[in-house]
Amino acid sequence: MELLNNLSLGFETAFTLQNLMYCFIGCVLGTLIGVLPGLGPIATIAMLLPATYALPPIAALIMLAGIYYGSQYGGSTTAILLNIPGETSSVVTAIDGHQMAKRGRGGVALFTAGMGSFFAGCVATLILAGFAAPLAEVAFKFGPAEYFSLMVLGLIGAVVLASGSLIKAIGMILLGLLLGLIGTDVNSGVARYSFDIPQLTDGIGFVSVAMGVFGFAEIMLNLEKKGAGESFLNKVTTLIPTWSDVKRMVPSILRGTTIGSILGILPGGGAALAAFGAYTVEKKSSKHSEEFGKGAIEGVAGPESANNAAAQTSFIPLLTLGIPPNAVMALMVGAMTIHNIQPGPQVMTSNPALFWGLIASMWIGNIMLILLNLPLIGIWVKLLKIPYRLLYPAILVFCCIGVYTVNNSVFDIFITAAFGVIGYMFFKFGCEPAPLLLGFVLGPMMEENFRRALLLSRGDFTTFLTRPLSLSLLIAAALLVVIVALPAVKKSRQEVFVED
């Protein structure tokens, strides 16, 4: 009964004209950036963070959330028709989706992706609504020691679930933690790692780091690429699948939704991991495994359902515990901080309209997306004909304006440019920048809770081990380290890295 009352409040909040408008704007922008290669949700949300200053908190978060799960929809369009994944999680969709397009079944692939995304998004939002309140109650039992241990578990989870070199992933986490410590010490008031540069006494801006490492770096990487792929839009004849297709895609959608809902909650998980995991499961469980890589409909239904489910459930640890499970959720923490909202369980009690309004807007957003994506396929593909040499100067100018408006500081633009070069080097050396962003966000929070726990225990380090909940989280973190050190796991990480 309480859940129904909460959802009633949520829909009452979401169904205002203003919030509906910003939900629609977020869905359209999300679809657009999913369609356009190189403009992922991380870069776009980073660019739009400064613009949310002028918006009411609820409208701003609804719009940014729409951009995130909307990009999962849009990324499948170019992945299927042009073999150009518009978003990271759409890489898997391109494998079989583009082969279906080559065989004249691009419309069926797009319909499958759309319906799988819609179903998974709705189910995952229901899970978010159902589990949010119980998890928030648990979160109120957390003290400084528990929060520190939880963040340790989150960072180790990000390392474990990152593909490629374990050493590089750990290095990126540590670098992010160090960057987060730059600025003035909260307790002593002494400037740390500022190198006598006055602008660094307040620390490095989150927007500068995110926009540089993702926005500027993505532009530099895309300028290296040539060719736009081959369009199969003219071969889209029908969107309606056959009965045989339906019998094959429905179980895949159900499995993909389940996998994505679970992996989205895990620290460091996210849509890309869910898509890869669902594809692997489908390939091993399908009776038509020989068709995978040649146009299997399961290869579209499973991953598309998984990445959308993961996009929705990744809000669970953010809203209930205040812990971002991936880079996009770290950006959402930045957006909430801009509006003086402390992410965590207190959001549900102090601002229930925002909490439940955001959840209700996800159902509305999913309906908007299914109505947007299928009829407007032709328009989205035509956008790809715009030369990138015309797009990137506009993106750069918008980035610089956004960074400058945060603090009215030219220094911030130089910092962003520097991180753009650093981000470009990260990509070249095979280092994932997402763990760095998580470390940067969690670093100050970890330090604050670590020191607060020691102050409460009068300097007793065993406080992290004597408190049952804290000890359980640290044991879970240690088990993750043991698991990732196993030879089989190390081998699979290397295989994923080679494939990427």
Side-chain angles (χ1 to χ4, degrees):
M1 191 65 186
E2 186 181 355
L3 177 60
L4 293 176
N5 292 333
N6 290 330
L7 288 176
S8 175
L9 172 64
F11 280 107
E12 184 181 333
T13 304
F15 267 113
T16 63
L17 184 62
Q18 183 186 52
N19 290 337
L20 283 173
M21 181 182 71
Y22 282 108
C23 182
F24 180 77
I25 291 171
C27 290
V28 172
L29 283 175
T31 304
L32 178 61
I33 64 160
V35 167
L36 292 174
L39 278 178
I42 299 174
T44 306
I45 292 175
M47 286 188 284
L48 288 175
L49 273 182
T52 63
Y53 273 115
L55 299 179
I58 297 177
L61 292 175
I62 284 175
M63 183 182 74
L64 294 177
I67 289 172
Y68 181 37
Y69 55 78
S71 66
Q72 311 304 323
Y73 275 75
S76 62
T77 301
T78 45
I80 291 169
L81 296 178
L82 303 177
N83 200 28
I84 304 174
E87 216 279 315
T88 310
S89 58
S90 300
V91 172
V92 187
T93 307
I95 298 172
D96 284 284
H98 188 62
Q99 293 300 319
M100 288 181 69
K102 281 185 173 181
R103 289 161 46 187
R105 306 193 74 223
V108 175
L110 289 167
F111 180 87
T112 302
M115 293 310 296
S117 298
F118 175 72
F119 176 80
C122 291
V123 171
T125 305
L126 184 63
I127 292 170
L128 170 58
F131 284 91
L135 281 174
E137 289 296 323
V138 174
F140 278 118
K141 299 178 181 178
F142 276 51
E146 286 78 12
Y147 267 111
F148 172 79
S149 301
L150 179 64
M151 290 172 196
V152 170
L153 174 62
L155 290 178
I156 290 177
V159 171
V160 170
L161 295 173
S163 60
S165 169
L166 179 64
I167 300 299
K168 288 178 181 177
I170 293 172
M172 295 299 282
I173 287 281
L174 294 176
L175 180 58
L177 290 171
L178 291 173
L179 290 172
L181 297 179
I182 294 174
T184 304
D185 182 86
V186 177
N187 291 344
S188 65
V190 176
R192 302 180 300 183
Y193 311 116
S194 62
F195 304 102
D196 294 326
I197 301 173
Q199 291 90 340
L200 289 180
T201 53
D202 288 333
I204 298 174
F206 176 79
V207 174
S208 298
V209 176
M211 204 176 287
V213 170
F214 290 101
F216 281 30
E218 284 285 345
I219 289 171
M220 286 187 266
L221 287 166
N222 283 311
L223 288 174
E224 292 183 347
K225 299 174 184 176
K226 294 181 180 180
E230 180 185 359
S231 174
F232 289 88
L233 183 62
N234 296 330
K235 294 187 179 182
V236 178
T237 53
T238 179
L239 297 174
I240 308 302
T242 64
W243 178 243
S244 173
D245 290 332
V246 172
K247 288 195 292 185
R248 290 175 60 177
M249 65 189 260
V250 168
S252 298
I253 289 173
L254 294 173
R255 284 191 292 266
T257 301
T258 304
I259 293 168
S261 298
I262 296 170
L263 293 182
I265 300 172
L266 297 178
L273 180 70
F276 276 99
Y279 188 82
T280 303
V281 170
E282 291 305 315
K283 192 173 182 179
K284 289 183 177 180
S285 61
S286 175
K287 296 178 181 177
H288 309 276
S289 57
E290 72 283 352
E291 292 184 24
F292 277 76
K294 301 174 183 176
I297 196 168
E298 296 93 335
V300 175
E304 278 300 305
S305 304
N307 67 36
N308 277 273
Q312 310 275 1
T313 57
S314 60
F315 282 88
I316 291 177
L318 172 71
L319 292 175
T320 58
L321 301 173
I323 305 298
N326 55 50
V328 177
M329 291 300 105
L331 288 167
M332 294 294 286
V333 170
M336 296 175 84
T337 306
I338 284 173
H339 291 280
N340 295 317
I341 299 168
Q342 180 64 40
Q346 64 272 19
V347 174
M348 186 182 293
T349 53
S350 63
N351 201 338
L354 182 145
F355 185 92
W356 293 104
L358 178 61
I359 291 175
S361 74
M362 293 180 186
W363 268 306
I364 300 169
N366 274 288
I367 294 171
M368 287 180 177
L369 284 165
I370 197 68
L371 295 176
L372 273 173
N373 275 267
L374 296 181
L376 300 181
I377 289 166
I379 294 175
W380 297 131
V381 175
K382 286 178 183 177
L383 285 170
L384 292 163
K385 295 180 180 178
I386 300 174
Y388 195 72
R389 67 178 183 276
L390 300 179
L391 282 176
Y392 85 82
I395 296 170
L396 276 176
V397 170
F398 187 80
C399 284
C400 291
I401 293 172
V403 171
Y404 178 79
T405 54
V406 174
N407 295 313
N408 293 329
S409 171
V410 177
F411 181 79
D412 287 351
I413 297 177
F414 289 115
I415 288 289
T416 306
F419 274 102
V421 175
I422 293 170
Y424 176 78
M425 293 171 63
F426 286 157
F427 281 108
K428 286 296 180 183
F429 286 108
C431 299
E432 291 187 64
L436 178 141
L437 197 61
L438 287 173
F440 182 76
V441 171
L442 293 179
M445 297 165 64
M446 282 185 70
E447 183 197 16
E448 182 182 347
N449 283 288
F450 178 74
R451 294 171 74 171
R452 190 181 298 168
L454 290 180
L455 283 171
L456 292 173
S457 65
R458 300 179 183 273
D460 184 6
F461 284 88
T462 60
T463 185
F464 300 103
L465 303 176
T466 53
R467 297 174 68 91
L469 194 51
S470 174
L471 178 61
S472 301
L473 292 167
L474 290 176
I475 289 173
L479 287 174
L480 280 179
V481 173
V482 173
I483 290 170
V484 80
L486 294 174
V489 176
K490 291 176 75 173
K491 182 181 178 183
S492 66
R493 287 173 65 93
Q494 291 167 359
E495 288 175 353
V496 170
F497 185 63
V498 170
E499 287 174 6
D500 289 347

